[in-house]
Amino acid sequence: ERTPTSKTGDSILILEDTDRDGRADKVTHFLDDLNCPTGFQFFKDGLLVVQAPDLWFVRDTDGDGKGDWKERILMGLDSADSHHTANSVVYEPGGAILLSDGVFHRTNVETAAGPVRNTDGAIFRFEPLTGRFETYVSYGFANPHGRAFDTWGNDIITDATGNNTYFGPAFSGRIDYPAKHPKMKTIWDRPSRPSAGSTIITSTHFPDEFWGNYLNPNCIGFQGIYRVKLVDDGSGIQGERQPDLLSSSDRNFRPIDTSVGPDGAIYLLDWHNPLIGHLQSHLRDSNRDHVHGRIYRVTHEGRPLAQPPPIEGQPIPALLELLKRRENQIRNLAKIELSKHDSAKVIAAAKTWAAALDRHAPDYPHHLTEALWLHQWHNVVDVDLLQRLLRSPDANARAAATRVLCYWRDRVPDALALLRRQAADENPRVRLHAVRAASFFPKVEATEVALAATKLPIDYYLDYTIGETLRQLRPHWRKSIGDGDMVAGGDPASLRYLLRTLTVPELLKMP
């Protein structure tokens, strides 16, 4: 962080292991003289960089590894406290990025669709190609630094301060500012706090029992990284603690983030600092360590590393083939590389690739879902492909497609009718995604989608999401009932579900 007397600023560095011995031996300064950047993500031929109050797109136009062109693409992110500033820029599988605000912040971002305002903690969603910026989760977070998407696009969100981890789809429906979603249960009982970042392991280098596990680094009560197995919990997900990935007796060991590389190794950031509080000690306390931070590379002894596939500069057909890979990180890197190519050419090739897929392959539903996500990444709506996946025999694919329908809702004919069908799906997670999507439609007809999901067994997460969608839609259905209109076909059970969400004073005003 810059001080009034500092001569140089912060940097974004490229570390390379040129001789493949597992240690970085080359450093390139991609960007210098920054003032407390708090997150970045690859985008096309450069980076999206958060330096509040702005989000910048910085490009390397001549391929020398240095940013030489930049454009401010967002402004208005609160910069009052770097401890809480927008950070942890993470891609969802369809190409939008998520970034977060912490408590005590007041963010106001002007967009083409109007201002987006937030008070205290929240997660935002931004589509770099369309410029759409919106609140993704409005909740009583302290610092929601941790988030990761699994293979099917389900997001796991961790609030750093308390190390509380949540099933993202259940509370990411629309709720108008300044409202916040109410308390939701966590997916596992964490033994310690806080946790500043998270990752889901997809690595052929580690044993099979590590696949899909959630990594949860802790830096105060426990100096190490918890490992959590994720399993279905009705419409949601729950975590089961596994043996820890690692721990340290060094009380200054401060693991704050993890990621999996293309070689399957796990890379770990160690802040390594005796003082980590932002108020307990003076900002200029000499015990604050500015020189001993480090990055560890964690491998599994006796197992071969994965061979990273060529990605940079590869032609479109070769990159499309990488979408068949099981590793989340490789598929993401392939889509980032595809974003450098002309979208029309990418989509044309993707249609040919999807048509040639083996329909009998076990991973066929996921390959086809990747084709749908690629369309979303390039902002090209394909209703036929979407319809196929909405009716896929694989429930995970149907849920993922329902989420895409939510974000294509203004460009897909009869979107509400499609969602109502999804809300009656036999799978509870598909129903949850349909109910979540209904919250984005400011009309009484969306109420029918949420109520359709009540006709089948309802679990904790479904009940939560139905309740929140009905709360968001309350002005519309409440007026209809008050005007004597037929809501939910006059079904008594549905009306009871609606009326139970009203307070006694509200009920007393009803006819």
Side-chain angles (χ1 to χ4, degrees):
E1 185 175 355
R2 299 302 297 268
T3 68
T5 59
S6 62
K7 302 298 183 185
T8 59
D10 302 313
S11 300
I12 293 178
L13 308 175
I14 300 172
L15 304 178
E16 293 181 70
D17 173 16
T18 61
D19 58 7
R20 303 297 184 197
D21 68 347
R23 295 176 181 272
D25 50 44
K26 180 182 177 182
V27 179
T28 303
H29 285 242
F30 180 81
L31 208 57
D32 289 319
D33 206 28
L34 297 170
N35 185 9
C36 199
T38 51
F40 70 87
Q41 184 55 262
F42 300 109
F43 179 63
K44 294 192 174 183
D45 57 350
L47 296 179
L48 297 171
V49 180
V50 179
Q51 183 179 253
D54 306 316
L55 177 67
W56 294 88
F57 176 31
V58 183
R59 299 174 60 209
D60 169 17
T61 62
D62 56 10
D64 66 351
K66 297 179 182 292
D68 50 40
W69 178 98
K70 69 177 183 178
E71 177 184 9
R72 181 168 56 193
I73 57 177
L74 279 180
M75 61 184 295
L77 301 167
D78 194 351
S79 58
D81 183 347
S82 60
H83 184 74
H84 306 283
T85 294
N87 58 75
S88 305
V89 187
V90 173
Y91 270 115
E92 64 178 37
I97 63 168
L98 303 185
L99 60 160
S100 63
D101 240 0
V103 72
F104 311 134
H105 274 209
R106 308 291 184 266
T107 281
N108 297 276
V109 175
E110 290 286 348
T111 78
V116 175
R117 309 185 194 283
N118 178 67
T119 299
D120 293 332
I123 297 176
F124 303 108
R125 181 179 182 272
F126 176 59
E127 296 177 357
L129 279 186
T130 69
R132 177 189 283 182
F133 179 85
E134 58 194 352
T135 302
Y136 179 68
V137 181
S138 182
Y139 187 75
F141 295 120
N143 282 297
H145 295 330
R147 51 192 153 274
F149 285 86
D150 71 8
T151 296
W152 284 103
N154 299 297
D155 53 314
I156 306 300
I157 296 171
T158 298
D159 191 356
T161 302
N163 192 16
N164 298 312
T165 301
Y166 305 98
F167 176 61
F171 67 167
S172 56
R174 182 173 177 84
I175 195 80
D176 286 336
Y177 173 84
K180 300 271 186 184
H181 291 298
K183 182 177 177 62
M184 189 170 72
K185 74 175 185 179
T186 57
I187 68 167
W188 73 300
D189 295 324
R190 82 290 185 272
S192 179
R193 55 157 297 276
S195 176
S198 53
T199 297
I200 290 178
I201 307 175
T202 50
S203 168
T204 58
H205 169 61
F206 281 84
D208 290 344
E209 61 263 28
F210 284 73
W211 191 275
N213 286 183
Y214 163 80
L215 294 182
N216 180 259
N218 270 240
C219 60
I220 295 182
F222 167 72
Q223 261 88 355
I225 301 177
Y226 294 123
R227 182 166 65 92
V228 181
K229 181 181 179 182
L230 302 177
V231 297
D232 287 339
D233 179 20
S235 59
I237 285 174
Q238 69 177 3
E240 301 172 351
R241 185 180 176 185
Q242 306 297 302
D244 302 331
L245 179 72
L246 57 85
S247 62
S248 175
S249 59
D250 181 353
R251 302 306 296 173
N252 295 339
F253 177 58
R254 310 291 187 183
I256 57 170
D257 204 3
T258 53
S259 66
V260 182
D263 60 357
I266 294 171
Y267 293 81
L268 157 67
L269 298 182
D270 172 16
W271 186 11
H272 206 85
N273 214 310
L275 297 182
I276 66 170
H278 56 123
L279 293 177
Q280 295 89 333
S281 302
H282 195 281
L283 288 174
R284 310 297 178 221
D285 191 311
S286 60
N287 287 315
R288 293 191 186 276
D289 191 331
H290 298 283
V291 296
H292 286 106
R294 57 193 74 162
I295 300 173
Y296 289 108
R297 178 173 179 266
V298 183
T299 59
H300 195 288
E301 192 172 19
R303 292 180 61 88
L305 287 163
Q307 181 63 41
I311 294 178
E312 185 180 9
Q314 291 299 297
I316 293 173
L319 294 170
L320 291 172
E321 281 299 298
L322 292 181
L323 299 184
K324 295 179 181 179
R325 291 287 293 259
R326 296 178 64 218
E327 302 96 326
N328 296 345
Q329 63 274 13
I330 289 178
R331 296 196 312 278
N332 259 4
L333 290 171
K335 284 182 283 192
I336 292 167
E337 187 69 17
L338 281 165
S339 72
K340 297 179 183 178
H341 293 268
D342 179 73
S343 288
K345 294 179 180 178
V346 171
I347 295 303
K351 292 182 185 299
T352 302
W353 176 80
L357 291 170
D358 180 1
R359 293 171 180 256
H360 303 291
D363 290 335
Y364 175 71
H366 193 272
H367 297 340
L368 205 61
T369 302
E370 281 290 353
L372 182 68
W373 282 331
L374 190 63
H375 278 73
Q376 192 181 15
W377 199 297
H378 287 264
N379 193 33
V380 176
V381 173
D382 186 327
V383 176
D384 291 339
L385 179 59
L386 175 66
Q387 291 265 29
R388 284 179 62 191
L389 283 160
L390 288 172
R391 296 290 86 207
S392 171
D394 190 301
N396 287 312
R398 297 199 302 275
T402 306
R403 180 184 173 97
V404 173
L405 173 58
C406 173
Y407 293 115
W408 284 355
R409 61 189 179 273
D410 55 339
R411 293 176 287 173
V412 172
D414 301 318
L416 269 178
L418 293 174
L419 287 173
R420 180 160 183 168
R421 185 177 64 181
Q422 299 303 98
D425 195 278
E426 63 181 8
N427 182 271
R429 190 170 299 160
V430 177
R431 299 201 297 275
L432 184 146
H433 274 283
V435 173
R436 171 190 178 272
S439 69
F440 292 85
F441 291 80
K443 54 181 67 177
V444 68
E445 291 81 6
T447 308
E448 309 287 345
V449 175
L451 293 175
T454 68
K455 305 307 178 186
L456 292 166
I458 299 173
D459 61 20
Y460 171 85
Y461 286 114
L462 252 177
D463 185 64
Y464 181 102
T465 307
I466 292 170
E468 286 303 279
T469 290
L470 292 179
R471 179 160 76 109
Q472 169 66 10
L473 298 176
R474 182 184 297 175
H476 307 287
W477 61 256
R478 184 182 170 190
K479 182 179 185 302
S480 292
I481 293 177
D483 292 346
D485 296 337
M486 190 73 73
V487 176
D491 173 52
S494 294
L495 288 174
R496 282 196 296 271
Y497 212 101
L498 288 172
L499 294 175
R500 78 173 198 178
T501 68
L502 296 177
T503 64
V504 170
E506 288 172 323
L507 284 168
L508 289 173
K509 294 178 183 177
M510 301 293 285

